[in-house]
Structures are given as C-alpha cells and as structure tokens.
Amino acid sequence: MTTVVEDMINTYPADLGGVDRQKLARCIEECVACAQACTACADACLSEEAVSELTKCIRTDADCADVCGTTAAVLSRHTGYDANVTRSLLRACAVVCKACADECEAHADRHDHCRVCAEACRRCEQACDNLLSALG
C-alpha cells in the first residue's frame, strides 16, 4: 500500500531529475510526522506542572516543528527545483532535529511525550541525511 506522499510523487507529470523517489517520500513523511510530534510535545510540556523546567524544550520543539513543516513543503514542490536550496534546507532540518532530539532526551525519563518526540526527531534527522546523501 502506498502513502499519499508516494502517490503524489508518482503522479507528478514532470521529470524529478533523478531524485530517489523513495528517499524523497520518506523524508517528506518524516518531516510531517516530526512537525506534528514537536507541536504536540510543546503543548504537552505546557501542561506539565514543572513547565518552567521545560522552557528550552518548548522553544526547541517550536523551532523544529517550523523547520520540519517548511522542509516538507519545499520538498513537495518540484517546479523550479534548486538543488542548493534543497541541500541547505535538508542540512538545517537535520541540525534542528538533532538539537530537538537531544533536548527531549534530557526529559524523556520523566515525560513520555519527550521520549516520543525525540524518537520522531531522530527518524527525521536520518531521513534528511539519507536524502542529502542521495542528492550527492
């Protein structure tokens, strides 16, 4: 069974320029999932009793959600593709995902939402790195 992302990539009428469609789809999917996890984690952090201890986590979650959402959107558009922009965005996304995962892991022993978020961030970081490697 294919995903909506895969279906959209497979129905794109123009040439994708040799981009690995599987890695592209996986990266878009992981970016969307990570953005959702980070948004939910930040909201859950705001509901914790010791919210003041989670300020950095909330900000990092918000940054990661924004960068992942933007990365997914840019990767979903193929018209006027610019490999330099794509590479820079993928690098930035991998960096923010690593930072967010590191921060969330610091709280994961006390907050399951941070553990789940850290896992999503690691998967997204890896998907960005995999697509970057495939782009050459």
Side-chain angles (χ1 to χ4, degrees), residues 16-25 27 71 74-75 78 81-91 127-136:
L16 293 179
V19 173
D20 184 314
R21 289 173 183 246
Q22 265 189 321
K23 289 181 180 177
L24 176 61
C27 192
T71 301
V74 171
L75 291 176
H78 309 293
Y81 172 76
D82 184 330
N84 292 325
V85 170
T86 301
R87 283 186 196 95
S88 295
L89 194 52
L90 286 168
R91 280 188 212 100
C128 287
D129 286 341
N130 289 344
L131 183 55
L132 257 173
S133 294
L135 293 176

Side-chain angles (χ1 to χ4, degrees), residues 20-60:
D20 184 314
R21 289 173 183 246
Q22 265 189 321
K23 289 181 180 177
L24 176 61
R26 173 71 189 253
C27 192
I28 293 168
E29 291 165 354
E30 293 298 347
C31 283
V32 171
C34 190
Q36 188 280 328
C38 289
T39 299
C41 185
D43 187 62
C45 286
L46 289 169
S47 296
E48 294 289 351
E49 260 184 52
V51 69
S52 63
E53 296 172 15
L54 297 167
T55 303
K56 183 177 178 187
C57 190
I58 294 165
R59 286 188 180 120
T60 306

